[in-house]
């Protein structure tokens, strides 16, 4: 074991020892004993309310407007009072669909503070996708912006569901204007009595099915995951003292550029809720634009940017990124997901040496908890996804579910206090994904002898485009709704700008007249723009299948890549 790895394990033992800030205890979850942080908040309302202590400190900046913690909580209390006036009870759902903006965060906090279950929806979704999610969660309230309201035609199609809308124009009849609800003075809400196993949050994940699944997490799972982010920060700081000293010497308040969507764990847990708890500042942008991001970094003196690897690559490619007057405040870059492209690793190591850059691996189903490394640990093993967290067990499983020894590849299974309670109203999918408390991730990887996790492949048929997960089956299903489409195979190919691009190979009825343009337009009319295939290859021959009738996507992908390279 290297000296740095030895130091990391020593620091971990120190941080988690009895009486230490991250002391471990055993708790019972579903009849199983699992490790947990003793000092984590017990419930999400308690965690959110702790942010009141930050008072007049700046919290969120958005389009030139500054929100202090005081203003944020004044509006959250007002919206919470409105939710209660509408009769929203603990455990009932409040759905949210907006671009990143302060009001998104306000509604989330207001719902959580009264014990309701926030259910953030994918704001990129079109009407059909939003209606499907609303039908799943059956919210008492749907909070949205004007664009999302238009997409659902002004109607949630859910009985007795109120709509709270953020917008500049006058609201249609029956729609409550956020500005009216949020500006009524209200006393801080008193949170209901909640237990650790009560529901706290529903987040949607694409997964490998044709319809997004809601992931239900308990109060304890969410709070433990958020405390784990603090642990990762402490471990990084204690193993990268030079980088921390350099950041401290600049005297800048920690400020994160939030460009990833708030409906993902990477935006919600690691940025919004972590900043709310710790009194840090966030700068929201509603859309990803690398040129604009560079301007925001300079103007807002950003110290941290976390995003999908493709977003970081686009940022690094901007003219002026290496100019200290442009990005001199930036102390670290963070990447979510699995192994990074070697080109990106090389560029970060060369252009941001001795920084607090890092990587994390986690899933919606584990509230983002899995493995992480930043600073010196990331520089030591940049191809890995980091060291596993203290509150998660990792099993590298063979085809029979049996554990494999270090350095042997298998499916990554995770078990621990932050794992979901299940897929919302979908016991079949839950049973397929869970085994005796273990969540089967669908990712292939291995643990090395020092405890670093390496993710090398995916079992699930999921495409990762700019950090957005796209279920191939969902796009295939959409294509097959065209009567003249006989077969459809959708898969990923590497792409320098987006990480992975969506490609479809489609067999159509002879004489149909369907072409690539028409098929892309068809998908664009039903699914979010980022799910539309970059390339559609139209054939009149049958697609290749194995003797069992399964589509040979690997063969199609290889043929496509070979043709593109030739």
């Amino acid at each position: 074991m290297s000296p740095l790895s030895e130091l990391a394990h020593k620091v971990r033992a120190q941080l988690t020892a009895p009486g230490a800030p991250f002391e471990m205890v055993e708790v019972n979850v579903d009849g199983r004993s699992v490790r947990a942080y003793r000092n984590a908040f017990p419930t999400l309302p308690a965690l959110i309310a702790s942010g009141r202590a930050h008072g007049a400190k700046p919290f969120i900046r958005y389009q030139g407007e500054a929100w202090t913690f005081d203003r944020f909580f004044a509006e959250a209390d007002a919206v919470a009072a409105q939710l209660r006036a509408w009769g929203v009870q603990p455990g009932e759902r409040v759905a949210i669909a907006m671009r990143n903006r302060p009001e998104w965060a306000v509604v989330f906090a207001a719902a959580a503070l009264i014990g309701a279950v926030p259910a953030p929806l994918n704001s990129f979704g079109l009407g059909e996708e939003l209606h499907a999610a609303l039908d799943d969660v059956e919210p008492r309230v749907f909070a949205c912006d004007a664009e999302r309201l238009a997409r659902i035609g002004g109607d949630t199609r859910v009985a007795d569901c109120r709509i709270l809308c953020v917008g500049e124009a006058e609201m249609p009849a029956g729609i409550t204007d956020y500005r009216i609800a949020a500006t009524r003075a209200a006393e801080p809400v008193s949170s209901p009595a909640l237990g650790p196993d009560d529901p706290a949050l529903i987040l949607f994940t694409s997964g490998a099915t044709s319809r997004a699944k809601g992931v239900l997490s308990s109060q304890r799972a969410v709070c433990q995951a958020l405390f784990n982010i603090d642990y990762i920060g402490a471990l990084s700081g204690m193993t990268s003292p030079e980088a921390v000293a350099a950041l401290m010497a600049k005297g800048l308040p920690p400020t994160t550029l939030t460009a990833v969507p708030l409906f993902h764990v990477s935006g919600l847990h690691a940025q919004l809720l972590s900043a709310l708890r710790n009194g840090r500042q966030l700068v929201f942008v509603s859309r990803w634009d690398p040129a604009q991001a560079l301007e925001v970094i300079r103007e807002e003196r950003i110290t941290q940017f976390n995003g999908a690897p493709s977003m970081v690559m686009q940022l690094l490619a901007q003219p002026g990124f290496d100019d200290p007057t442009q990005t001199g405040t930036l102390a670290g870059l963070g990447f979510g997901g699995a192994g990074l492209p070697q080109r990106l690793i090389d560029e970060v190591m060369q252009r941001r040496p001795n920084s607090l850059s890092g990587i994390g691996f986690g899933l919606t189903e584990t509230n983002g908890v899995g493995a992480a490394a930043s600073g010196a640990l990331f520089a030591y093993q940049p191809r890995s996804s980091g060291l596993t967290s203290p509150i998660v067990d990792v099993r590298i499983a063979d085809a029979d579910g049996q554990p494999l020894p270090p350095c042997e590849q298998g499916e990554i299974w995770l078990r621990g206090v932050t794992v979901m309670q299940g897929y919302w109203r979908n016991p079949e999918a839950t049973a397929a994904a869970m085994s005796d408390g273990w969540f089967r991730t669908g990712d292939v990887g291995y643990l090395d002898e020092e405890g670093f996790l390496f993710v090398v492949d995916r079992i699930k048929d999921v495409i990762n485009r700019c950090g957005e997960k796209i279920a191939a089956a969902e796009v295939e299903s959409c294509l097959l709704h065209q009567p003249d489409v006989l077969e459809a195979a959708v898969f990923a190919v590497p792409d320098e700008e987006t990480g992975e691009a969506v490609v479809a190979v489609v067999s159509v009825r002879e004489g149909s007249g369907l072409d690539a343009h028409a098929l892309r337009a068809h998908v664009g009319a039903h699914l979010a723009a980022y799910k539309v295939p970059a390339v559609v290859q139209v054939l009149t021959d049958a697609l290749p299948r194995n003797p069992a009738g399964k589509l040979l996507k690997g063969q199609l992908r290889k043929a496509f890549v070979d043709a593109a390279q030739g």
Side-chain angles (χ1 to χ4, degrees):
M1 186 175 289
S2 72
L4 183 60
S5 292
E6 288 183 357
L7 173 62
H9 286 282
K10 180 180 177 181
V11 169
R12 170 172 167 153
Q14 181 182 340
L15 289 171
T16 58
F22 299 94
E23 178 182 354
M24 308 298 296
V25 294
E26 296 285 327
V27 297
N28 187 283
V29 177
D30 293 332
R32 300 181 189 88
S33 182
V34 295
R35 297 184 303 281
Y37 295 116
R38 178 186 292 277
N39 297 321
F41 280 95
T43 65
L44 188 53
L47 183 145
I48 290 173
S50 72
R52 295 182 190 274
H54 304 305
K57 287 181 65 176
F59 179 28
I60 299 172
R61 293 186 66 82
Y62 176 69
Q63 296 186 349
E65 190 177 21
W67 289 56
T68 63
F69 283 87
D70 282 338
R71 176 185 174 182
F72 176 83
F73 278 105
E75 295 203 9
D77 290 332
V79 173
Q82 180 66 76
L83 297 178
R84 276 190 168 160
W86 283 338
V88 178
Q89 299 297 310
E92 293 184 321
R93 278 77 58 204
V94 173
I96 307 169
M98 309 178 200
R99 289 282 188 179
N100 285 6
R101 57 188 300 156
E103 295 88 349
W104 192 110
V106 167
V107 175
F108 183 96
L113 284 169
I114 65 169
V117 179
L121 311 185
N122 185 334
S123 66
F124 298 139
L126 300 186
E128 293 176 33
E129 296 161 290
L130 291 171
H131 276 300
L134 289 165
D135 181 59
D136 274 349
V137 299
E138 291 186 316
R140 288 293 309 278
V141 175
F142 176 50
C144 61
D145 54 19
E147 187 178 350
R148 260 40 63 175
L149 182 66
R151 289 185 187 181
I152 64 165
D155 183 5
T156 64
R157 302 179 193 165
V158 176
D160 302 318
C161 177
R162 303 267 194 165
I163 298 178
L164 182 67
C165 185
V166 178
E168 302 306 321
E170 187 174 334
M171 292 295 126
I175 309 297
T176 299
D177 190 331
Y178 171 91
R179 291 171 297 184
I180 295 173
T183 53
R184 294 179 181 141
E187 292 295 315
V189 294
S190 55
S191 298
L194 296 171
D197 296 316
D198 285 333
L201 174 66
I202 296 173
L203 284 179
F204 280 86
T205 181
S206 292
T209 65
S210 60
R211 181 163 170 165
K213 299 187 290 291
V215 173
L216 177 66
S217 292
S218 69
Q219 298 284 336
R220 177 165 46 205
V222 175
C223 291
Q224 288 286 325
L226 290 165
F227 205 67
N228 190 66
I229 295 170
D230 291 347
Y231 164 80
I232 293 168
L235 177 66
S236 299
M238 294 176 71
T239 52
S240 308
E242 297 86 358
V244 172
L247 175 61
M248 298 292 287
K250 293 179 180 178
L252 297 169
T255 304
T256 298
L257 171 58
T258 300
V260 294
L262 293 171
F263 56 78
H264 285 324
V265 287
S266 53
L268 177 60
H269 291 49
Q271 298 189 38
L272 175 61
L273 293 176
S274 182
L276 178 63
R277 160 76 181 93
N278 292 299
R280 298 186 183 125
Q281 185 171 218
L282 302 172
V283 178
F284 284 176
V285 292
S286 59
R287 298 174 187 270
W288 171 244
D289 179 330
Q292 180 202 25
L294 196 65
E295 292 179 16
V296 173
I297 289 170
R298 182 189 70 247
E299 293 171 1
E300 302 286 357
R301 310 187 80 188
I302 299 295
T303 61
Q304 183 71 30
F305 172 67
N306 300 330
S310 57
M311 296 168 74
V312 178
M313 290 177 74
Q314 291 168 29
L315 188 62
L316 289 169
Q318 286 300 304
F321 179 83
D322 294 320
D323 183 349
T325 65
Q326 299 280 329
T327 62
T329 61
L330 194 60
L333 298 165
F335 324 92
L340 305 176
Q342 186 62 50
R343 173 186 149 200
L344 178 56
I345 293 171
D346 293 342
E347 287 205 39
V348 171
M349 292 296 110
Q350 178 187 351
R351 298 166 69 179
R352 279 291 188 274
N354 305 316
S355 69
L356 284 169
S357 297
I359 189 171
F361 170 77
L363 303 99
T364 308
E365 290 90 342
T366 66
N367 281 280
V369 176
S374 66
L377 290 169
F378 172 68
Y380 172 61
Q381 287 283 19
R383 299 293 297 173
S384 83
S385 292
L387 291 168
T388 57
S389 292
I391 54 171
V392 68
D393 292 322
V394 179
R395 171 185 289 181
I396 306 300
D398 65 15
D400 297 320
Q402 296 304 305
L404 292 167
C407 300
E408 285 199 30
Q409 293 185 16
E411 185 179 9
I412 301 169
W413 290 17
L414 302 175
R415 182 173 66 180
V417 68
T418 66
V419 172
M420 67 175 181
Q421 292 182 309
Y423 292 116
W424 175 252
R425 294 179 175 173
N426 196 338
E428 296 84 7
T430 303
M434 300 293 297
S435 175
D436 191 29
W438 290 98
F439 171 66
R440 299 192 284 262
T441 68
D443 291 302
V444 175
Y446 64 93
L447 281 167
D448 73 6
E449 293 172 340
E450 294 182 315
F452 285 88
L453 178 66
F454 291 77
V455 183
V456 298
D457 200 358
R458 284 198 302 273
I459 296 174
K460 294 177 181 177
D461 202 2
V462 179
I463 301 158
N464 187 345
R465 182 190 183 279
C466 289
E468 293 297 329
K469 303 298 196 304
I470 303 164
E474 181 181 25
V475 184
E476 289 166 352
S477 176
C478 183
L479 286 164
L480 289 166
H481 273 95
Q482 276 276 15
D484 287 329
V485 172
L486 303 176
E487 296 178 295
V490 173
F491 50 84
V493 296
D495 184 88
E496 284 205 357
E497 286 193 8
T498 62
E500 291 183 336
V502 184
V503 171
V505 179
V506 178
S507 174
V508 302
R509 199 179 310 277
E510 196 163 357
S512 70
L514 277 178
D515 61 11
H517 177 76
L519 290 169
R520 292 183 78 251
H522 170 74
V523 176
H526 296 274
L527 300 179
Y530 70 90
K531 300 178 183 179
V532 176
V535 179
V536 177
Q537 197 174 63
V538 181
L539 309 174
T540 53
D541 298 328
L543 302 186
R545 294 179 180 270
N546 67 13
K550 185 176 180 181
L551 273 172
L552 296 174
K553 285 192 183 181
Q555 183 176 320
L556 287 168
R557 183 186 292 108
K558 183 178 185 305
F560 179 87
V561 172
D562 288 348
Q565 292 174 343

